[in-house]
Amino acid sequence: MDLQDQLKNLFPDHEPSQEIEEVSSEPKELWIQKEPMICKYEKRKGKPTTIISGYTGEDEDFKILAKEIKSKLAVGGSFKDGEIIIQGDYRDKIMAILKDKGFKVKRVGG
């Protein structure tokens, strides 16, 4: 007995719909700005963090960028107050990723 038969036994009045929703999986185009983004190093509570700020586009685009950076570097981080906070000192790698995407990046601090 497969799953469809079991469902029919449980819900005899239910008619399954044949509509299939299409989900577009095409990557969203990020807005490239003219001003450079700031990539700086800080210690917060004794731990090294890399902070990326200065993006003038929409917050949703910046969140997508944060998720992509975190997944490429396999590190933790967050998005707060218009800044991407990455755990660890990854300035060089982050700057390379952003430059490959077409952003201008300025390194601040040490």
Side-chain angles (χ1 to χ4, degrees):
M1 182 178 273
D2 67 341
L3 183 61
Q4 293 295 331
D5 293 335
Q6 291 176 2
L7 288 173
K8 284 180 185 178
N9 288 339
L10 289 173
F11 306 104
D13 297 335
H14 178 71
E15 291 295 322
S17 64
Q18 298 298 328
E19 296 178 20
I20 298 175
E21 295 180 20
E22 292 184 24
V23 178
S24 65
S25 62
E26 63 186 52
K28 186 173 179 180
E29 193 67 33
L30 295 175
W31 183 71
I32 306 297
Q33 61 190 25
K34 294 182 180 178
E35 299 84 28
M37 292 171 55
I38 307 296
C39 185
K40 61 184 174 181
Y41 170 78
E42 276 186 16
K43 279 198 169 184
R44 293 189 175 185
K45 298 181 183 177
K47 303 196 182 210
T49 58
T50 305
I51 300 171
I52 305 160
S53 60
Y55 186 72
T56 56
E58 292 184 23
D59 281 348
E60 289 300 316
D61 291 344
F62 208 33
K63 286 180 186 178
I64 292 169
L65 185 63
K67 186 174 182 180
E68 187 174 327
I69 289 171
K70 290 189 300 183
S71 66
K72 280 190 178 180
L73 297 176
V75 296
S78 64
F79 176 81
K80 292 182 184 173
D81 302 327
E83 293 180 334
I84 300 173
I85 302 166
I86 303 292
Q87 297 172 355
D89 185 10
Y90 293 99
R91 286 176 289 181
D92 297 329
K93 292 179 183 178
I94 291 172
M95 288 175 66
I97 290 170
L98 292 175
K99 285 181 183 176
D100 288 342
K101 291 198 156 293
F103 290 101
K104 295 178 185 173
V105 186
K106 187 181 234 182
R107 184 179 177 137
V108 176

